[in-house]
Amino acid sequence: MALQHLPANTTADEAVAAIRRDGAVIVDNVLSPAEMDAVAAELKPWIDATAFGQDEFSGRRTKRTGGLVARSAKCRALVMHPLVLGAAKKLLENATSFQLHLTQVIAIGPGEPAQAIHRDQWAFDFFPFPAGFEVQCNTIWAMTDFTEENGATRVVPGSNHLADKLRFKLEDSVAAEMRKGSVLLYNGSVYHAGGANRSGATRAGINITYNLSWLRQEENQYLSVPPEIARTLPVELLKLMGYRRGAYSLGYVDDLRDPIEVVRPDLKRSGLGDDLTLTQAQQKMKETEAAK
Ligand SMILES: O=C(O)CCC(=O)C(=O)O
Ligand SMILES: [Fe+2]
């Protein structure tokens, strides 16, 4: 079974319907090849300076370059892409809000074997989330063409509906082949892996992922993006990076201050809950109780 491809003008609802069904979907040509080349040019010095991975899962012929919000203005636009944020909002609607989980170029070099097939949500210490309860919405933007030969991401379609901690063979998976500028969207419960690169050139993708804001972020945005850069970023991006409270009170600073006040004192507010007032939190609790 192949993955569904959607056109760049698709809606978040269509994308989410495919993700809920198959665990993943490809949206074609969201950026033009020239636009993606401009992103790649901005990232090149950072990728060049990155060391290869230290273990098999990271990939000994693979470079993983992070901190993209700090390092690349063009990646900020990818982080904030309306289609992706729309899909993440819908897929993760089981929580009050979602946040940026990680930003990482994954550059798989020639000769790299395939990665072990896994669920990204295993990052949460293998906690067995209930079936159908999605905690992540993930993207890999193709910085180069993704082909079966050069290590396109391998996906086991529909495996988001299967049991946890399963082992798959590569033959159970399909290659998420796509053109440069396209994006693969997938959830945290679908089984997948980086493919083996049997070509002579590097396969590069930009992995930008989002998770529920009551979970820990894989990439620490507060330390990856220096405060002097954070101060210059759009408020919506700052909130996505975690400069907001998750649910009613998670992540407040000292005297119940909203974390955004620390980087943007001009946005000073008082008390908890700009995203979720106490009344809304109580209402949500009642609804949850009633649904039991
Ligand atoms: O690079 C890829 O195609 C996927 C890598 C991956 O799934 C991971 O590192 O978690
Ligand atoms: Fe993964």
Side-chain angles (χ1 to χ4, degrees):
M1 191 199 132
L3 290 175
Q4 187 176 355
H5 286 248
L6 292 170
N9 66 358
T10 189
T11 63
D13 283 357
E14 280 177 312
V16 169
I19 299 170
R20 286 201 205 281
R21 190 188 62 225
D22 300 339
V25 68
I26 293 166
V27 185
D28 290 310
N29 309 317
V30 179
L31 296 193
S32 69
E35 284 169 331
M36 190 46 103
D37 285 344
V39 179
E42 203 169 70
L43 292 170
K44 187 176 183 301
W46 302 103
I47 301 170
D48 287 347
T50 304
F52 287 108
Q54 298 282 321
D55 59 44
E56 248 133 67
F57 191 80
S58 291
R60 296 183 197 279
R61 294 182 182 84
T62 294
K63 289 184 174 187
R64 292 172 184 265
T65 306
L68 304 186
V69 171
R71 292 171 165 175
S72 159
K74 290 191 190 299
C75 282
R76 292 173 202 156
L78 296 186
V79 169
M80 298 291 287
H81 194 281
L83 173 65
V84 172
L85 291 187
K89 186 165 193 277
K90 182 135 187 82
L91 194 65
L92 304 177
E93 67 193 356
N94 53 21
T96 302
S97 57
F98 64 93
Q99 64 193 349
L100 186 60
H101 189 33
L102 69 85
T103 63
Q104 185 183 91
V105 173
I106 305 179
I108 303 182
E112 179 73 82
Q115 193 183 35
I117 294 182
H118 61 277
R119 285 180 152 165
D120 277 353
Q121 68 190 33
W122 286 349
F124 301 106
D125 215 12
F126 294 92
F127 183 79
F129 293 105
F133 186 84
E134 296 304 333
V135 298
Q136 277 188 252
C137 180
N138 306 320
T139 66
I140 298 185
W141 293 83
M143 244 172 84
T144 58
D145 287 347
F146 272 37
T147 65
E148 172 127 40
E149 198 202 3
N150 77 4
T153 310
R154 313 282 320 184
V155 179
V156 184
S159 58
N160 46 316
H161 302 290
L162 302 181
D164 206 17
K165 302 193 183 125
L166 297 179
R167 298 214 176 269
F168 287 94
K169 298 197 206 66
L170 280 177
E171 304 85 84
D172 302 322
S173 67
V174 296
E177 294 198 305
M178 56 181 171
R179 303 305 299 266
K180 170 163 66 179
S182 304
V183 61
L184 170 71
L185 289 138
Y186 62 106
N187 58 20
S189 56
V190 75
Y191 287 85
H192 69 282
N197 188 343
R198 288 184 293 270
S199 78
T202 298
R203 185 231 73 175
I206 307 171
N207 195 202
I208 299 174
T209 71
Y210 310 81
N211 70 341
L212 305 186
S213 51
W214 54 265
L215 286 164
R216 190 159 188 202
Q217 289 154 298
E218 203 161 324
E219 179 181 52
N220 187 318
Q221 298 301 322
Y222 314 105
L223 298 176
S224 299
V225 182
E228 56 276 14
I229 295 180
R231 220 167 277 139
T232 68
L233 299 175
V235 174
E236 286 313 311
L237 178 54
L238 287 172
K239 286 187 174 182
L240 202 50
M241 288 161 61
Y243 289 95
R244 81 188 304 178
R245 288 179 295 257
Y248 175 59
S249 62
L250 301 174
Y252 75 80
V253 179
D254 52 51
D255 303 334
L256 310 185
R257 284 194 299 147
D258 188 310
I260 205 153
E261 287 180 32
V262 178
V263 281
R264 290 286 305 273
D266 57 308
L267 298 176
K268 186 166 161 33
R269 288 196 199 88
S270 58
L272 289 172
D274 58 322
D275 294 313
L276 189 66
T277 64
L278 183 55
T279 322
Q280 284 169 318
Q282 285 165 336
Q283 182 60 31
K284 195 168 168 161
M285 244 157 60
K286 274 194 208 136
E287 283 166 13
T288 314
E289 284 303 311
K292 273 186 193 157

